[in-house]
Amino acid sequence: MNSRRIGTAFAAALVLVATKADADPPSGASAVDAVYPVIVSNAVVVKTLADIKSDDDATFAEQKRITEIAAPPYKEKVRAEYYLKRMQELGFKDASIDGEGNVIVLRKGTGGGRPKLVVAAHLDTVFPEGTDVTVKEKDGTVVAPGIGDDARGLVTLLSIIKAMNANNIATVGDIMFVGDVGEEELGNLRGMKAFFRDHTDIDGFISIDGLGIDRVVNQGTGSHRYEMIFTGPGGHSFHEFGLPSAIHAMGRAIAEIADLQTPAEPKTTFTVGTVKGGTSVNAIAAEARMAVDMRSDSTEELLKLEARLLDLVKQAVAEENARWKTDKLTVEIKLIGDRPAGLTAADSPVVRAAEKAVSAVAGGQKVTLEGASTDSNQPMSLGIPAVTIGGGGQGGNWHSRNEWYKPVDGYLGPQRALLTILMLQGLDGVTKPLLAGRQATK
Ligand SMILES: [Zn+2]
């Protein structure tokens, strides 16, 4: 995932509309402020947070174990089976793997199934099969591909569950814990797309991805990516002069694309990332291809940009054909990346609870709202309140073989996530859930 700060004006312009199931869970900051002191001073909760801290070393050991089970895109199965086994060992005999490959666990609440919150971390990494995933340790820092992204998220879930079960924490709402597939580039959120197709009764969503507890991702940056393949007859540059060229057509398209204008807010971007083509210097190119990336914090702007850009490409082909009075040049346009955009309002309980929980575990820590492309994009695009928060600790070099992790106060991640969950789902007999029960989504 990558992220940046979002414009607050844009965030504030959008308002979350939630429907109420029962009683009157007020939304926003005041509701969170009312529930927060009750939760953090509850003796069982205090003990559960302490258990998470005592379990810090075991959690870190598990993080290294999971990292060493390779999980390339579309090949998460071995890691998924291990994760399933761990869930079963934690008492969830009904834990299962769905048709797409997601590991799913239901921890029932006392409220008859409402509201229902999903807490997810992704199983997949960006690394191809054959990548050395051995964890190397030096001076308290570990280096391994995927050690933070998202092995840390996966163990955050395990740590939370372990402590909740040991202390018999009963929530009002149901919690579904999910180890999902296909979050990274090539996966295109296939795990989450399948999950939300199969489960239409989800009221809220938390993704544990990244590390820092100083941020809340409440904006999902959408992206569309295309490969465009220009094909023509090809021929000798001298003898067959007069034929249309695949490279010339692509050049026309790129020149037009380069001049496109997009809004700064909501941030909307494009680039022709790679180009390939031609056979030799003295041949009219028979083939040329390029990959194009488009992103936006708004689905509407993304679709507008996409329509204009695709139009320019078709126009460029028409111009190249017209130049040589032919129709022999064609372009094939292939969608290779598709992530929806979305936003959870800054004053929604999910965002407020995730912010507020930080003050309990790390008082004084400032929290920023950010935009990124994560699993939360999918629920956000469906109007389901969602955030992505960190699993704790320090790290860097994301998506590189030199990814590193340092277990500095790692327990703050699961502690913060647990408090967020408890505020949203309610502690049985103590607080009401802040998450509003929704009607089933279409
Ligand atoms: Zn990730």
Side-chain angles (χ1 to χ4, degrees):
M1 54 176 285
N2 54 20
S3 63
R4 61 182 193 82
R5 272 213 221 162
I6 63 164
T8 44
F10 177 65
L14 283 127
V15 178
L16 178 85
V17 181
T19 52
K20 289 184 261 183
D22 66 338
D24 53 344
S27 68
S30 64
V32 170
D33 286 342
V35 160
Y36 171 81
V38 183
I39 296 271
V40 297
S41 62
N42 180 276
V44 182
V45 173
V46 170
K47 166 73 166 44
T48 309
L49 293 175
D51 283 0
I52 287 177
K53 187 173 179 180
S54 326
D55 202 43
D56 199 35
D57 287 347
T59 300
F60 183 42
E62 181 75 84
Q63 185 180 340
K64 290 184 270 186
R65 229 169 0 251
I66 287 177
T67 302
E68 292 192 331
I69 304 171
Y74 288 90
K75 288 174 182 157
E76 303 97 336
K77 192 159 180 270
V78 181
R79 186 180 283 190
E81 278 164 357
Y82 174 78
Y83 204 56
L84 175 72
K85 187 180 84 128
R86 291 293 295 116
M87 288 296 187
Q88 287 167 340
E89 285 165 2
L90 287 171
F92 298 103
K93 300 287 171 256
D94 295 338
S96 61
I97 298 182
D98 72 9
E100 194 68 33
N102 300 309
V103 177
I104 298 179
V105 168
L106 175 64
R107 193 176 190 281
K108 280 208 165 89
T110 57
R114 308 240 58 95
K116 194 174 273 182
L117 174 73
V118 173
V119 183
H122 65 86
L123 292 160
D124 61 310
T125 69
V126 294
F127 305 99
E129 224 170 356
T131 302
D132 181 7
V133 290
T134 315
V135 175
K136 294 171 184 87
E137 209 154 353
K138 205 186 163 212
D139 305 328
T141 299
V142 289
V143 176
I147 183 75
D149 183 14
D150 190 23
R152 185 65 202 173
L154 292 168
V155 296
T156 297
L157 266 57
L158 296 176
S159 172
I160 292 168
I161 293 168
K162 201 168 157 186
M164 284 179 88
N165 289 358
N167 291 283
N168 295 314
I169 291 258
T171 55
V172 177
D174 283 0
I175 306 166
M176 282 179 106
F177 291 99
V178 180
D180 60 274
V181 295
E183 191 272 345
E184 299 288 6
E185 299 302 322
L186 296 170
N188 275 319
L189 307 186
R190 69 186 176 92
M192 280 300 119
K193 284 175 182 170
F195 179 86
F196 282 98
R197 187 188 58 224
D198 297 347
H199 302 269
T200 54
D201 60 346
I202 306 303
D203 303 303
F205 182 90
I206 297 173
S207 159
I208 314 286
D209 199 353
L211 303 177
I213 60 157
D214 55 347
R215 52 180 217 128
V216 174
V217 173
N218 71 322
Q219 186 158 4
T221 306
S223 68
H224 281 182
R225 289 174 179 169
Y226 284 92
E227 184 181 33
M228 307 191 178
I229 306 155
F230 299 80
T231 314
H236 193 278
S237 61
F238 189 70
H239 301 302
E240 274 141 319
F241 186 64
L243 292 172
S245 157
I247 287 180
H248 291 197
M250 189 165 85
R252 290 176 190 273
I254 293 171
E256 292 293 331
I257 290 169
D259 278 335
L260 279 170
Q261 299 287 336
T262 52
E265 195 70 40
K267 188 173 180 181
T268 304
T269 66
F270 60 88
T271 197
V272 177
T274 63
V275 296
K276 268 188 263 184
T279 37
S280 80
V281 67
N282 60 349
I284 298 163
E287 195 196 90
R289 51 180 74 207
M290 63 182 186
V292 183
D293 174 78
M294 291 173 255
R295 295 177 185 235
S296 180
D297 287 336
S298 139
T299 298
E300 198 191 332
E301 288 299 336
L302 182 62
L303 295 178
K304 259 203 266 179
L305 168 64
E306 178 183 78
R308 268 189 296 157
L309 193 144
L310 295 184
D311 219 48
L312 290 178
V313 170
K314 288 172 201 157
Q315 243 176 58
V317 169
E319 281 164 18
E320 177 66 10
N321 275 328
R323 163 72 177 85
W324 303 106
K325 299 187 175 55
T326 175
D327 59 359
K328 289 204 170 85
L329 196 104
T330 57
V331 63
E332 185 193 349
I333 297 175
K334 285 204 285 194
L335 181 70
I336 55 170
D338 177 13
R339 287 160 188 263
L343 177 86
T344 304
D347 67 348
S348 83
V350 175
V351 176
R352 289 292 188 202
E355 280 177 318
K356 191 76 184 172
V358 174
S359 42
V361 301
Q365 174 74 63
K366 205 174 147 12
V367 181
T368 56
L369 298 185
E370 293 183 356
S373 176
T374 69
D375 272 337
S376 289
N377 282 43
Q378 188 62 20
M380 283 174 185
S381 76
L382 298 170
I384 297 167
V387 290
T388 296
I389 57 177
Q394 298 171 355
N397 293 344
W398 309 115
H399 294 186
S400 97
R401 284 172 171 76
N402 297 318
E403 186 176 338
W404 61 274
Y405 181 82
K406 210 171 176 178
V408 180
D409 299 336
Y411 60 89
L412 295 179
Q415 281 187 340
R416 184 265 195 110
L418 173 70
L419 287 174
T420 306
I421 293 168
L422 295 180
M423 281 190 263
L424 293 174
Q425 294 304 78
L427 198 53
D428 187 44
V430 181
T431 64
K432 282 184 187 172
L434 291 181
L435 200 62
R438 292 156 44 99
Q439 303 302 320
T441 51
K442 285 160 276 158

